[in-house]
Amino acid sequence: MISKILNKIDIRELTLDELKDIFVKKGQPAFRGKQVYEWLWKKSATSFDEMSNLSIELRNLLNEEFCINHIKVQDKQVSEDRTIKSSFRLHDGFLVEGVLIPAEDRMTACVSSQVGCSLTCKFCATGTMKRERNLTPAEIYDQVVHIKNWAQNHYGKPLTNIVFMGMGEPLLNYSNVMAAIKKITLPEGLGMSNERITVSTAGIAKMIEKLGDDNVKFRLALSLHAASDEKRNMIMPINESNSLEAVGKALQHFYNKTKSRITFEYIAFKDFNESIEDAKMLLKFCKKVPAKVNVIEYNPTGDGQFEKADSKKIDAFCAYLEKNGVKATVRRSRGKDIDAACGQLANKKHDDALMEG
Ligand code: SAH
């Protein structure tokens, strides 16, 4: 679908061949299309003026017909632990958030796939926002470009990993997420490795199967958080239409096709899902498909409905899994002081500013 803003077409919605065609129709050589394509993707140009190997006439011509709907940094906060979060302003005014998580051995970009989210998971701040719209491939790509630049400029290191764990459910914006990943991984885009990209889903069984059919090369993570339908229904309404059995089958299909080990994310909530009984249920689910478990510390989101589990219980929970042959790692959360941690992305600063203004 081509969106027309002020009668201009966003030029990044065109394929390389379409761009070449446009130049040929204007009596220009096709390679001009490739030049423009490289400016748009490889060099992330935000205006036609930057395209210095095109004549001023050609740049003006493009300017009359096309626009570049690039995202803009609205504000940027650096956490005590060096995590950087920004809200990005989209061309139609919406805001999404992206985060750079620096670690010893890696620089990870956490990006959004939708404005808001439709899944209403009870523990997640983004879940309280309405899902406004899907992000375009270019809007996803732009977040990565910005965050990659922060890694270089703030910490002098290249971006190594990307996780689709920001706002939104990536598998409900399937084709745009796939198109973005293609651009991120192709040499004429950012040339990053598929193995360093993780798409995280709340568990849309049909779309997990589709990932398998499409034989994707990136990693898959499932936000599991409870290993019985009874408990999962209580915290993740999506489970009512995508039972653990259905999701488990979809994961088996995914694994059979891709041979890629899955990560289960499991937030430990106090007195809810962190007992040894719960670990036993999780272990049973882990038998379905080769997987490892990341136990995540709960980040309070404000309504006080949930509490963080005690670290001793988390350790015992992980030890039980490990003892039974499942790799389990505790993920301490990052960027909490600036609400950049998992589940805290809800444009809070912007809301505050709106209230004040
Ligand atoms: N919709 C996708 C992508 C968002 S990922 C998904 O659900 O996987 C965001 C990750 O942060 C998910 O694992 C989510 O379950 C987790 N998360 C959400 N709220 C959280 C919170 N308050 N504390 C810790 N992790 C949270």
Side-chain angles (χ1 to χ4, degrees):
M1 197 182 59
I2 291 186
S3 57
K4 283 193 159 191
I5 304 297
L6 300 170
N7 290 326
K8 287 190 186 180
I9 295 166
D10 182 353
I11 194 161
R12 287 192 297 175
E13 292 185 17
L14 303 180
T15 62
L16 176 57
D17 285 340
E18 285 167 337
L19 266 178
K20 284 182 182 166
D21 254 18
I22 282 172
F23 281 100
V24 171
K25 282 196 186 117
K26 290 187 194 304
Q28 294 281 329
F31 73 80
R32 293 265 176 247
K34 181 139 190 283
Q35 286 177 321
V36 171
Y37 194 83
E38 281 192 354
W39 277 110
L40 293 173
W41 296 106
K42 206 168 192 167
K43 302 182 207 160
S44 305
T46 55
S47 77
F48 296 109
D49 296 338
E50 289 167 51
M51 304 185 178
S52 51
N53 53 1
L54 296 183
S55 69
I56 303 227
E57 288 75 30
L58 268 184
R59 286 185 240 164
N60 287 343
L61 220 76
L62 289 174
N63 223 344
E64 275 165 29
E65 267 179 63
F66 300 102
C67 59
I68 306 172
N69 285 332
H70 61 94
I71 66 171
K72 294 186 183 118
V73 175
Q74 172 81 13
D75 58 51
K76 188 163 147 215
Q77 295 165 274
V78 183
S79 156
E80 287 160 4
D81 67 15
R82 308 196 310 155
T83 300
I84 303 178
K85 176 177 94 162
S86 168
S87 33
F88 297 110
R89 171 81 61 188
L90 310 182
H91 71 91
D92 52 3
F94 285 120
L95 289 172
V96 292
E97 294 182 328
V99 183
L100 170 68
I101 307 151
E104 277 296 299
D105 58 337
R106 60 179 72 185
M107 286 273 152
T108 305
C110 173
V111 297
S112 296
S113 55
Q114 297 180 312
V115 182
C117 188
S118 58
L119 299 184
T120 64
C121 297
K122 300 283 186 278
F123 46 82
C124 178
T126 313
T128 61
M129 299 172 70
K130 193 171 155 242
R131 175 208 164 278
E132 300 286 355
R133 71 166 172 87
N134 284 335
L135 295 191
T136 64
E139 287 165 340
I140 296 169
Y141 186 91
D142 282 356
Q143 294 174 66
V144 176
V145 171
H146 277 288
I147 298 171
K148 184 175 155 61
N149 290 340
W150 304 341
Q152 209 43 263
N153 299 341
H154 284 255
Y155 304 120
K157 288 191 180 163
L159 187 70
T160 56
N161 295 63
I162 302 172
V163 293
F164 282 76
M165 296 188 189
M167 292 174 168
E169 169 51 48
L171 297 193
L172 293 181
N173 183 16
Y174 192 91
S175 55
N176 288 355
V177 166
M178 296 289 275
I181 294 178
K182 205 166 168 193
K183 289 255 159 41
I184 291 164
T185 50
L186 282 177
E188 53 270 39
L190 298 177
M192 291 188 65
S193 153
N194 264 296
E195 272 104 75
R196 302 240 172 196
I197 299 176
T198 302
V199 169
S200 176
T201 178
I204 319 287
K206 250 195 204 153
M207 302 320 273
I208 294 172
E209 275 172 22
K210 185 158 167 51
L211 286 175
D213 292 337
D214 289 343
N215 209 351
V216 297
K217 299 282 177 273
F218 50 78
R219 305 269 171 241
L220 180 64
L222 172 73
S223 294
L224 189 57
H225 309 322
S228 74
D229 281 323
E230 194 196 348
K231 286 197 181 182
R232 206 162 183 262
N233 283 342
M234 287 165 71
I235 55 173
M236 299 177 74
I238 186 66
N239 195 71
E240 286 162 20
S241 49
N242 291 262
S243 66
L244 283 173
E245 197 191 337
V247 171
K249 278 205 176 115
L251 290 174
Q252 283 165 347
H253 179 78
F254 173 86
Y255 183 80
N256 288 339
K257 295 273 182 177
T258 63
K259 295 286 172 279
S260 162
R261 187 167 71 151
I262 291 133
T263 301
F264 294 148
E265 293 157 278
Y266 194 95
I267 306 173
F269 299 107
K270 187 173 181 180
D271 299 331
F272 179 69
N273 66 351
E274 85 303 27
S275 70
I276 294 301
E277 271 314 299
D278 294 298
K280 277 185 191 157
M281 287 196 283
L282 177 55
L283 186 67
K284 206 170 144 213
F285 193 78
C286 288
K287 296 267 154 71
K288 286 180 187 270
V289 64
K292 62 173 177 151
V293 175
N294 280 345
V295 178
I296 306 170
E297 259 186 2
Y298 170 64
N299 298 310
T301 58
D303 67 358
Q305 199 188 341
F306 298 96
E307 271 180 72
K308 191 174 142 184
D310 294 338
S311 13
K312 276 206 183 113
K313 279 199 116 177
I314 295 183
D315 291 344
F317 187 93
C318 288
Y320 180 87
L321 293 173
E322 291 268 351
K323 197 177 72 196
N324 287 284
V326 172
K327 192 169 164 21
T329 318
V330 183
R331 295 264 175 232
R332 309 267 169 231
S333 82
R334 304 283 307 266
K336 268 195 258 189
D337 54 320
I338 56 167
D339 284 336
C342 292
Q344 290 188 314
L345 302 183
N347 294 334
K348 196 164 161 194
K349 192 146 184 274
H350 176 66
D351 288 348
D352 292 350
L354 279 181
M355 307 259 276
E356 283 157 19

